[in-house]
Amino acid sequence: MRAADILGTAVGNAFRSRLRTVLTVIAIFIGAFTLTITNGLGTGINNYIDSQLGSIGAPGVMTVTKPTEVVEAATGPAEYDPDAASELDAQGPPGSTVQALTGADVSAVGDVDGVTSVDPIVAVSPDYVQWGAGDRLVLAVSEFASGTSIDLAAGVGFGAAADRLEIVLPTTYVEPLGFASDEAAVGETVAVAVTDATGGQHTVDAVVVGIQEPSLLGASTSISPALTTALYDLQSTGLPATAVGQYGSLSVHFDPASTDAEVQALTSELAAAGYTGTTVADQIGVFQTIVDGIILVLNAFAVIALLAAGFGIINTLLMSVQERTREIGLMKAMGMSGGRIFALFSTEAVFIGFLGSALGAVVGIVTGLGISSVLSNGLLADLAGLQILAFDPVSVGGVLLLVMGIALVAAVLPASRAARQSPIESLRYE
């Protein structure tokens, strides 16, 4: 009996007892459907997190700070060091403070092997943004870093000119500022106000070059490096000379093609020099870990359902072997080997597994896409670009292979029993 004959016979035998086969297929369907949905949920959320990495940071860039040394309680309070000024506004690890970085630190970090360039990160705190004679709106900004991608609803983003005072506003600012639409805001000039150390207020005109969608961290405003410098210089007016040229953190650039081991080596070298380096992937990786953990738990329930379905396959095939004892004896008497009989029943089990998993995957995908569409236009409408359920062909294929693998394992006992039967005793069976 050729492989094609074995397959055709197995498919036909699977429907000899239709009710029994249908009930087994339904059990497999439930497990495959659940696995497809949970994997789609994990894929959708992780895809969204990955897409947001580009808007939060850039590959080949890490943020470097200089943490304050922790002093053990037993040693008593540390002696004040006037050369290690504290930078209260700097972003350090949770629950810690960091030291202000100076030009000497910029040079020291730049000398670390693997660092290609270093840019000081300055903290700019504008008072408001205004268009024409419209309302003044409170504004929080972040400097645009080279390599960062922005999910734009309108406009083209920042230009190549280094001296252009440009700003990208979030969609939430368009209507309050008085613009008719996202497209209408692009190309307009807005005033950004900032207060200096003496209490004087200054305004800087900036061109709106884009309107960006909200990101994973909410609606944010991005400003060009030139605008950042202009606002920082005005904000620093009146500050003591010792306070000028101090930075909370540094933006360190390295080869974007670096492997994880090379990035870890760079982080270790920075640590040895007294600095802490954190990539965007490090900062957001905890979210993906939590999501993967939840999906793993949900998948465990689906696998339990599939294991229960595996026992259904064993029961189905054992009953099939018993009902077809004389037929098995006849096939052996006609020269069919035990291996081919084993293959016949194994193929029947794999076909039942494939049928249930394929139906579960198809229904799961259709249901998931429908749910995702409803949520994207409703509850999750503010999270632009989020498709809560996304289906990766590789993941779906993995579900099918997993279910067929479980079916094949479940078939070992009944198929072996059929293959070992004696033709003489089988033909005598009543």
Side-chain angles (χ1 to χ4, degrees), residues 53-398:
L53 288 176
S55 62
I56 298 171
V61 179
M62 69 169 59
T63 301
V64 171
T65 57
K66 189 175 184 180
T68 300
E69 294 183 5
V70 178
V71 181
E72 297 294 337
T75 65
E79 184 178 351
Y80 170 71
D81 182 1
D83 295 327
S86 176
E87 178 66 40
L88 299 179
D89 292 332
Q91 298 296 318
S96 68
T97 58
V98 295
Q99 300 180 41
L101 298 165
T102 63
D105 293 304
V106 174
S107 299
V109 172
D111 291 337
V112 173
D113 187 30
V115 174
T116 57
S117 64
V118 182
D119 297 321
I121 299 177
V122 297
V124 177
S125 302
D127 299 328
Y128 64 83
V129 61
Q130 182 182 28
W131 179 55
D135 294 336
R136 299 176 177 181
L137 304 179
V138 176
L139 187 68
V141 301
S142 60
E143 181 183 358
F144 175 77
S146 176
T148 302
S149 62
I150 300 178
D151 185 11
L152 294 174
V156 295
F158 296 108
D163 59 345
R164 290 261 298 177
L165 305 181
E166 300 173 332
I167 186 171
V168 173
L169 296 169
T171 54
T172 52
Y173 274 65
V174 173
E175 185 176 345
L177 281 173
F179 297 115
S181 64
D182 295 343
E183 291 74 15
V186 177
E188 296 292 336
T189 300
V190 295
V192 181
V194 65
T195 300
D196 62 28
T198 65
Q201 193 172 67
H202 311 269
T203 59
V204 177
D205 289 337
V207 177
V208 179
V209 294
I211 303 297
Q212 67 183 82
E213 299 281 6
S215 69
L216 185 63
L217 300 182
S220 61
T221 300
S222 300
I223 58 178
S224 65
L227 181 56
T228 301
T229 301
L231 292 173
Y232 181 73
D233 290 343
L234 293 173
Q235 180 180 279
S236 303
T237 302
L239 284 176
T242 54
V244 178
Q246 294 185 352
Y247 317 103
S249 57
L250 305 175
S251 180
V252 173
H253 298 257
F254 56 93
D255 185 1
S258 299
T259 63
D260 291 341
E262 291 171 336
V263 174
Q264 184 59 44
L266 175 57
T267 303
S268 299
E269 289 191 38
L270 288 169
Y275 303 95
T276 299
T278 308
T279 63
V280 177
D282 293 333
Q283 299 173 27
I284 206 167
V286 64
F287 294 107
Q288 291 179 310
T289 301
I290 293 173
V291 170
D292 291 341
I294 294 173
I295 299 303
L296 183 62
V297 172
L298 295 175
N299 282 343
F301 287 105
V303 171
I304 291 174
L306 287 174
L307 291 176
F311 285 102
I313 293 175
I314 294 175
N315 179 64
T316 298
L317 291 183
L318 283 175
M319 294 182 67
S320 180
V321 169
Q322 185 175 357
E323 292 170 354
R324 292 151 57 187
T325 300
R326 289 176 61 84
E327 180 183 332
I328 294 171
L330 182 60
M331 286 189 292
K332 280 204 163 186
M334 294 178 64
M336 191 170 183
S337 65
R340 290 193 176 276
I341 292 176
F342 181 90
L344 179 64
F345 282 91
S346 297
T347 303
E348 183 177 336
V350 171
F351 171 74
I352 293 174
F354 170 76
L355 187 59
S357 60
L359 289 174
V362 170
V363 175
I365 291 173
V366 173
T367 304
L369 292 177
I371 293 174
S372 183
S373 177
V374 171
L375 292 177
S376 297
N377 296 320
L379 184 63
L380 304 177
D382 291 336
L383 297 176
L386 172 59
Q387 187 176 4
I388 193 67
L389 288 162
F391 300 96
D392 178 18
V394 175
S395 178
V396 174

Side-chain angles (χ1 to χ4, degrees), residues 20-41:
R20 193 165 59 216
T21 299
V22 168
L23 291 176
T24 305
V25 168
I26 290 175
I28 298 172
F29 167 87
I30 294 173
F33 174 85
T34 306
L35 265 181
T36 302
I37 290 293
T38 53
N39 281 341
L41 181 63

